[in-house]
Amino acid sequence: MQQGSNVKQARRFFETLMAKDLPGWVGLFAEDADMELPFHPPGFHAERHGRAAIERTMREAFAVWETVEFTGPVIYETTDPDVVVVETTGDMKLSTGGHYANTFIMLFFFRDGEIALWREYLNPLVLVDAHTGGDAQKLAELFPDPNEPAAS
């Protein structure tokens, strides 16, 4: 797929995320897609394997985030047409009444027009503080291991 199409898919990632359109957002990912958070807080799972695990994580996030806003995003094309880099800031209004605001660098690796890998860099201290007042264990409870089967 041409890089222009992958850039459009990266834009669609943010459009569907801000609209909290979970089916549309999840549809951007390959069935075997991975998500990585290299700078993750303690107790928070750094990787999600497969579209279902990524969907589960975002479903949990949408339960905590009343609104999702991103400024920008600034999208950078690379010499590899299947890699897109995005720099953005996000501000999520939380169901607790607080806000979660962070700066993100996201790398998207595409395969056949679908996101095969989403690698997200963020400040984990801001993530923990906004969602739990600094308690990393509570964050792990809010977002359990998405790679485990969901409880029935």
Side-chain angles (χ1 to χ4, degrees):
M1 179 164 279
Q2 295 181 355
Q3 187 162 31
S5 297
N6 291 334
V7 168
K8 286 179 187 174
Q9 289 291 79
R11 288 189 200 290
R12 184 88 180 119
F13 174 95
F14 291 98
E15 291 166 1
T16 55
L17 193 58
M18 289 189 293
K20 293 178 70 173
D21 172 6
L22 188 59
W25 184 81
V26 170
L28 298 171
F29 289 86
E31 187 68 34
D32 63 344
D34 289 315
M35 176 190 176
E36 298 175 354
L37 296 165
F39 300 144
H40 61 92
F44 193 77
H45 301 277
E47 298 177 351
R48 282 96 175 110
H49 302 292
R51 183 189 293 156
I54 294 168
E55 178 179 10
R56 185 171 165 204
T57 296
M58 195 52 62
R59 186 177 310 282
E60 291 162 353
F62 284 170
V64 176
W65 301 340
E66 287 187 7
T67 62
V68 180
E69 296 294 328
F70 285 94
T71 304
V74 178
I75 297 177
Y76 301 94
E77 297 181 34
T78 68
T79 56
D80 182 338
D82 290 325
V83 178
V84 176
V85 178
V86 178
E87 180 181 12
T88 189
T89 56
D91 186 8
M92 290 59 143
K93 181 180 176 189
L94 305 178
S95 58
T96 60
H99 282 271
Y100 166 50
N102 213 333
T103 300
F104 302 89
I105 301 294
M106 299 181 194
L107 285 77
F108 295 99
F109 298 82
F110 290 89
R111 182 180 63 239
D112 300 325
E114 296 179 312
I115 299 170
L117 171 61
W118 164 29
R119 185 174 296 140
E120 181 175 295
Y121 295 88
L122 53 82
N123 182 337
L125 300 176
V126 172
L127 176 70
V128 172
D129 190 53
H131 287 84
T132 68
D135 186 339
Q137 182 57 42
K138 285 184 184 174
L139 187 68
E141 293 168 10
L142 276 175
F143 299 98
D145 186 349
N147 300 305
E148 294 293 324
S152 20

